Amino acid sequence: MVLSLKRKIISVIIMSLILVTPFFTSGVSFAATNTDNTIVVGVPTDRCPMIYAEKSEDSVNTIVGIGPDLLRIACKNIGYNVEFKAIDEPSLKAALDNTSYDLVMPFGSAIESASGQSSIVSDNLILTPFTVVISEGDTLTDFNSSKMGMVKSLAGVSDTVKTLYPNMEVILYESMSDCVEALRNDEVDALLQNSYVWSYVLQKPSYTDLHVQPTTMFSMDFRVGTLDTPEGQVLIDKLNQGISMITDTQRQAVILDYTSRKLYKYDTHDFLYANRFIFICFAALIILIALHFIAKQQLLQKAQKAQIKQMLDYDSLTGALTMAGFREKAKELLLENPTTPYLISYNNIKNFKFINDKMGMNSADELLCFWVEKSLEYFSDKEAIARIDADHFAVLCCMPDDNGVEAMETIVFEPVKKYYINQGNDYEVQISSGLYVLTPEDYKNINVDKMLDCARLAEKKAHLSVTGGYEVYNLDQWEAGRLLSDICGHFSTAKKQNEIQVWYQPQVNYRTGKIIGAEALCRWNHEKLGWLSPGLFIPMLEQSGLIYDLDCLVWETVCQNIHRWNEQGFKRSISVNLSRFDIEKNKNIAEHFNNLIQKYGLEPSQLRIEITETAYAGDNKLLLETTAQLQDLGFEVEMDDFGSGYSSLNMLTEIPVNGIKLDYIFLKNKKNPERTKIVIEYILKMLRSLKCNFITEGVETKEQADFLVERGCERMQGFYFYKPMPIEEFEALDFNNINNRLQ
Ligand code: C2E
Ligand code: MG
Ligand code: MG
């Protein structure tokens, strides 16, 4: 009876509960709900596209996402409104304790709140698949032994992961960008996140190097929770009804809606990254413009400097150089042309004050301009003209030969002198000039002012003479300079006019009485100076760099002659001289000789090459190399003038020549003839022991020849036998008999 009464009371309570429920759920008893049946749900907003805040058109933050949309459908199904609030709490656990929320989401399962109260959760709203993201080109084969990166907000999920994959090492990072950095730095093998989140995150432009590995590792529930209270129970029960009414189509539609949207909003960094090529191009363009601007500025500055320099270096009246300009230009020219013989002239117009007064300033200025104009007409780029003050002109010019002096007189001085006469005035301009011829020392220590002072001193002397004219400061140098210019300046014309000839001095075997060869020696029949000795012009040509041209001419002529003799059936060997300057000019001189013998069909043994002993003195690597190359090609190389200069016995062992040519100087030592004979005797002995070929040149007497032959030197060259002779005479010789000649 008591039991049935109890049952009745319980059933009445349940009935009344059932009756009260609609009223209860219509908004009266939920702590946070308002009067129009609205459920307040606390959510995190950083889980796009699951739950996130979106700014609507009227700039109000609305919480949207797959979760909120599904919950809205569920609530609508049971006649409730839902209002989402962004939680301020650090965790969902803490949010559970906040009574201003009716519900909190998302939860995978029921957990304890931060204050230790138990909670209850709704049925699953949606299953969220978890997938991994790896670096482009990688594949993760073994999940269990991998290192997995996750964001800290998924700390709850990491427990599930550890249960499923006990050997997996999970590393939690503060943010997604930290996760990505860790993956890129190989700190982790992959990143784990719910696949709907990936669909959002991977929209970031700078994450194009990441890709999803198409494997679902596991799925997590997405539920709504609240504290385990009677009200909570009622609400969850009711909500479950609504959840059960969500159709699969509705779920698919919501998922599709959020995963197909371009939810990711570019931040500044993304914008910069996405448009990096445009920015790079733009930056490059800016740099180019800046560089262009700088270059233009520099050009402008350069032009300004050049303009200032032009003003400083050039005389504004005549256009000639100023003193400053002359100093610089003269120095430049002397450095560029160290072998050109130069002179500096200092020129002065006599009575210029009178010209100024009588003809007027303008006319006097015109005279100065006329002088410069005429000078520029005559002098070349290798020369410099300056107006150093008022009517004083300085000229740095190449040492003129006779023709040059004449030309300078007619082109420059005569017209200037006749300037007023040609204008119908009876006045001849007088010019006094002082000349200073540059010495070799002047090229080494260039001091333009000092040279000009010397020229000025000479001009003063000329000035005192009635008619002006010119005076030379250093006459010796002037003579030497004139000779140099007569020789070097005339060289190319001399070649064309066949002034240069090749003569031959026969070489004999005194014992057999036969001619064994000859040395080719050049001779110059100068148009003005007559026959010149090589001793005079060879050093000058060497100094001015013309010797190579001369030697090429001699070698070519010799080869032509040998070729002709070969064709006539006379096989002759000729010695030619090779200057150290030739080797410096043509580093491959051996090849040059080879080409010559090829061209004329000669045997290399027909050309003996003499290199003077002094060339070998000191360290001359190039010369030694050339000697070896010539020998490799089959030429015989002889050391010329042995004994005349710096001979050292060491040379005989160190320099690999084929033969030695003893100099006649040895034979001419009259002071100590007996001692000289002993020295020659021992040198010859030594050369024989060294198995070195040798010949003595400069043999002038029978006594010398006899002395040499007695000491084993049979080959000789010298005036006692023959002097150098023109080719016709050489060809007419009887090669088999020198005796006729000696009688
Ligand atoms: P070198 O090569 O030692 O030539 C021998 C010089 O000695 C020649 O003088 C010759 O005429 C002279 N000589 C020969 N036998 C006697 C003698 O018994 N007594 C005296 N006092 N002298 C004798 P040359 O022709 O005046 O040549 C002088 C130097 O000029 C040559 O000395 C050579 O170094 C150089 N030379 C001559 N022609 C050429 C050439 O075509 N090219 C080059 N680079 N140098 C040349
Ligand atoms: Mg010689
Ligand atoms: Mg010699």
Side-chain angles (χ1 to χ4, degrees):
M1 192 58 197
V2 175
L3 196 70
S4 65
L5 185 71
K6 253 186 185 172
R7 270 192 199 137
K8 265 184 189 168
I9 293 167
I10 288 167
S11 61
V12 167
I13 291 168
I14 290 170
M15 281 303 291
S16 59
L17 266 175
I18 292 168
L19 286 172
V20 164
T21 302
F23 172 67
F24 192 58
T25 53
S26 57
V28 179
S29 302
F30 301 152
T33 45
N34 55 30
T35 43
D36 59 345
N37 295 349
T38 301
I39 303 171
V40 178
V41 184
V43 288
T45 54
D46 57 351
R47 315 233 171 142
C48 188
M50 295 309 292
I51 316 166
Y52 63 99
E54 190 180 64
K55 256 204 175 84
S56 59
E57 277 170 11
D58 46 3
S59 289
V60 176
N61 263 344
T62 315
I63 290 168
V64 291
I66 296 172
D69 276 19
L70 289 174
L71 192 61
R72 269 190 198 98
I73 297 170
C75 288
K76 197 175 168 200
N77 288 343
I78 52 170
Y80 282 91
N81 295 322
V82 65
E83 185 191 325
F84 294 98
K85 278 192 176 167
I87 58 169
D88 296 326
E89 291 73 14
S91 67
L92 290 175
K93 275 181 170 194
L96 277 174
D97 290 325
N98 188 338
T99 50
S100 60
Y101 314 130
D102 298 317
L103 295 168
V104 176
M105 78 174 182
F107 292 102
S109 55
I111 53 167
E112 257 187 10
S113 77
S115 64
Q117 298 182 67
S118 54
S119 69
I120 47 169
V121 288
S122 71
D123 288 345
N124 194 16
L125 268 169
I126 183 169
L127 258 184
T128 53
F130 271 69
T131 45
V132 292
V133 153
I134 47 180
S135 296
E136 190 84 72
D138 284 354
T139 331
L140 192 61
T141 43
D142 184 8
F143 288 111
N144 207 14
S145 60
S146 64
K147 275 188 187 173
M148 195 60 71
M150 288 170 72
V151 281
K152 256 193 186 145
S153 57
L154 285 185
V157 178
S158 77
D159 295 338
T160 314
V161 174
K162 276 181 189 156
T163 323
L164 289 169
Y165 302 97
N167 291 330
M168 182 183 280
E169 189 185 339
V170 175
I171 305 174
L172 297 176
Y173 294 94
E174 210 53 58
S175 64
M176 182 52 83
S177 63
D178 290 346
C179 286
V180 172
E181 206 178 314
L183 180 68
R184 284 177 180 159
N185 294 340
D186 286 337
E187 283 171 34
V188 292
D189 302 318
L191 302 176
L192 184 65
Q193 181 52 281
N194 125 22
S195 55
Y196 304 134
V197 174
W198 282 135
S199 72
Y200 161 77
V201 169
L202 295 183
Q203 287 172 16
K204 190 172 168 67
S206 57
Y207 289 175
T208 43
D209 59 326
L210 310 180
H211 76 109
V212 174
Q213 179 158 316
T215 355
T216 301
M217 289 179 69
F218 55 87
S219 294
M220 291 285 290
D221 292 347
F222 193 97
R223 300 167 189 266
V224 188
T226 185
L227 290 178
D228 190 5
T229 58
E231 293 90 346
Q233 281 285 357
V234 173
L235 184 55
I236 291 293
D237 287 345
K238 192 72 189 158
L239 192 60
N240 284 345
Q241 284 176 27
I243 291 171
S244 65
M245 289 159 73
I246 301 174
T247 63
D248 278 349
T249 320
Q250 282 174 314
R251 275 201 179 82
Q252 293 304 326
V254 171
I255 292 168
L256 190 66
D257 181 13
Y258 282 94
T259 51
S260 61
R261 282 191 208 182
K262 183 134 181 59
L263 289 173
Y264 183 81
K265 299 277 181 301
Y266 281 13
D267 57 20
T268 323
H269 179 258
D270 293 327
F271 180 72
L272 290 174
Y273 186 87
N275 298 294
R276 61 192 181 280
F277 295 115
I278 296 173
F279 285 118
I280 289 169
C281 291
F282 186 69
L285 191 73
I286 298 280
I287 290 169
L288 273 179
I289 292 170
L291 286 178
H292 176 73
F293 182 74
I294 292 167
K296 219 171 162 184
Q297 277 302 104
Q298 281 175 345
L299 271 179
L300 206 73
Q301 277 177 7
K302 224 171 155 184
Q304 279 169 349
K305 270 190 194 159
Q307 210 175 350
I308 294 168
K309 193 162 167 35
Q310 170 85 13
M311 278 158 65
L312 290 175
D313 286 355
Y314 289 91
D315 172 31
S316 57
L317 175 68
T318 61
L321 290 161
T322 57
M323 184 60 217
F326 183 71
R327 229 177 250 132
E328 203 174 304
K329 181 76 185 170
K331 204 167 181 178
E332 198 179 289
L333 286 172
L334 295 180
L335 287 172
E336 273 172 18
N337 309 288
T339 56
T340 306
Y342 273 110
L343 67 81
I344 280 189
S345 72
Y346 188 93
N347 310 279
N348 183 7
I349 296 177
K350 285 180 106 180
N351 298 325
F352 193 64
K353 193 178 171 325
F354 169 78
I355 296 174
N356 255 332
D357 294 344
K358 193 177 174 224
M359 309 293 178
M361 291 268 275
N362 285 348
S363 171
D365 281 355
E366 277 164 23
L367 172 67
L368 297 176
C369 293
F370 184 70
W371 169 297
V372 172
E373 190 188 307
K374 287 284 136 189
S375 299
L376 289 173
E377 217 172 89
Y378 176 75
F379 294 110
S380 71
D381 289 352
K382 266 176 83 176
E383 296 162 308
I385 305 130
R387 184 166 82 111
I388 46 179
D389 122 64
D391 58 329
H392 296 178
F393 291 89
V395 180
L396 173 78
C397 63
C398 300
M399 191 73 204
D401 55 12
D402 277 353
N403 295 338
V405 172
E406 214 180 293
M408 207 191 304
E409 193 60 34
T410 13
I411 299 173
V412 187
F413 287 89
E414 275 309 310
V416 175
K417 284 180 194 166
K418 298 266 168 348
Y419 183 72
Y420 287 116
I421 294 177
N422 289 338
Q423 286 181 359
N425 293 314
D426 186 19
Y427 182 78
E428 179 167 315
V429 177
Q430 285 179 16
I431 300 162
S432 55
S433 305
L435 310 181
Y436 173 77
V437 183
L438 272 65
T439 65
E441 189 54 32
D442 292 321
Y443 292 83
K444 284 182 213 146
N445 303 310
I446 302 170
N447 186 338
V448 180
D449 290 73
K450 193 193 111 204
M451 295 184 252
L452 208 56
D453 279 347
C454 296
R456 192 184 280 128
L457 267 178
E459 186 277 324
K460 280 211 171 106
K461 213 166 152 197
H463 201 85
L464 295 176
S465 84
V466 193
T467 48
Y470 70 88
E471 284 290 334
V472 181
Y473 177 82
N474 43 354
L475 260 180
D476 294 353
Q477 197 65 29
W478 168 254
E479 292 304 334
R482 286 297 304 277
L483 187 62
L484 191 64
S485 117
D486 274 337
I487 287 176
C488 298
H490 182 61
F491 177 69
S492 64
T493 321
K495 271 201 315 180
K496 279 184 217 139
Q497 292 179 178
N498 293 327
E499 289 177 22
I500 294 160
Q501 300 175 9
V502 176
W503 284 26
Y504 293 92
Q505 183 177 31
Q507 296 168 336
V508 302
N509 185 318
Y510 187 46
R511 204 176 49 77
T512 61
K514 288 185 178 175
I515 295 174
I516 50 168
E519 176 175 7
L521 296 159
C522 69
R523 294 289 179 267
W524 185 345
N525 190 5
H526 194 283
E527 155 184 274
K528 183 181 136 200
L529 306 170
W531 284 103
L532 297 178
S533 147
L536 174 74
F537 65 82
I538 297 262
M540 289 187 183
L541 294 183
E542 283 184 337
Q543 191 198 332
S544 58
L546 293 168
I547 188 71
Y548 182 66
D549 290 356
L550 172 94
D551 279 344
C552 284
L553 174 83
V554 172
W555 303 332
E556 181 95 27
T557 313
V558 168
C559 289
Q560 270 171 8
N561 291 340
I562 301 177
H563 169 75
R564 190 158 44 79
W565 296 327
N566 281 353
E567 288 201 322
Q568 291 165 0
F570 305 116
K571 270 236 145 57
R572 286 168 191 169
S573 288
I574 301 294
S575 301
V576 290
N577 289 290
L578 173 67
S579 162
R580 149 176 92 81
F581 296 94
D582 296 330
I583 298 172
E584 277 162 25
K585 182 93 175 214
N586 180 353
K587 304 264 181 314
N588 206 352
I589 205 91
E591 190 60 36
H592 182 85
F593 277 108
N594 198 36
N595 290 342
L596 270 178
I597 59 159
Q598 302 282 334
K599 181 173 168 190
Y600 291 102
L602 315 182
E603 285 165 22
S605 60
Q606 291 190 279
L607 217 52
R608 282 196 298 263
I609 294 155
E610 292 186 8
I611 303 175
T612 187
E613 170 217 70
T614 45
Y616 285 106
D619 174 31
N620 200 331
K621 198 167 157 249
L622 181 63
L623 187 59
L624 290 178
E625 277 170 14
T626 307
T627 306
Q629 284 164 7
L630 285 166
Q631 289 172 329
D632 286 350
L633 289 166
F635 295 104
E636 293 217 340
V637 181
E638 282 183 348
M639 191 190 290
D640 200 1
D641 307 328
F642 186 78
S644 67
Y646 308 91
S647 336
S648 106
L649 295 181
N650 252 356
M651 277 180 161
L652 296 177
T653 49
E654 283 172 11
I655 298 162
V657 286
N658 304 85
I660 297 289
K661 203 168 182 190
L662 274 173
D663 192 72
Y664 59 87
I665 290 275
F666 264 135
L667 302 171
K668 287 186 189 147
N669 190 336
K670 298 235 162 62
K671 264 196 207 156
N672 241 323
E674 285 316 307
R675 288 175 79 102
T676 310
K677 277 184 180 170
I678 295 171
V679 174
I680 295 176
E681 192 168 340
Y682 276 94
I683 287 183
L684 293 175
K685 220 180 215 172
M686 192 174 63
L687 290 174
R688 270 204 315 276
S689 314
L690 286 169
K691 301 219 166 18
C692 197
N693 283 331
F694 52 90
I695 180 168
T696 309
E697 66 177 329
V699 182
E700 288 182 338
T701 64
K702 182 170 184 325
E703 193 208 340
Q704 288 166 354
D706 288 342
F707 169 79
L708 288 168
V709 83
E710 273 164 29
R711 269 130 198 104
C713 176
E714 299 168 355
R715 297 165 65 217
M716 298 177 206
Q717 179 184 335
F719 291 174
Y720 173 59
F721 304 101
Y722 301 97
K723 286 194 170 175
M725 57 187 77
I727 184 162
E728 303 79 23
E729 248 179 70
F730 178 64
E731 285 178 346
L733 286 178
D734 177 359
F735 268 57
N736 287 313
N737 190 359
I738 61 167
N739 291 325
N740 294 340
R741 175 115 194 152
L742 300 178
Q743 253 83 78

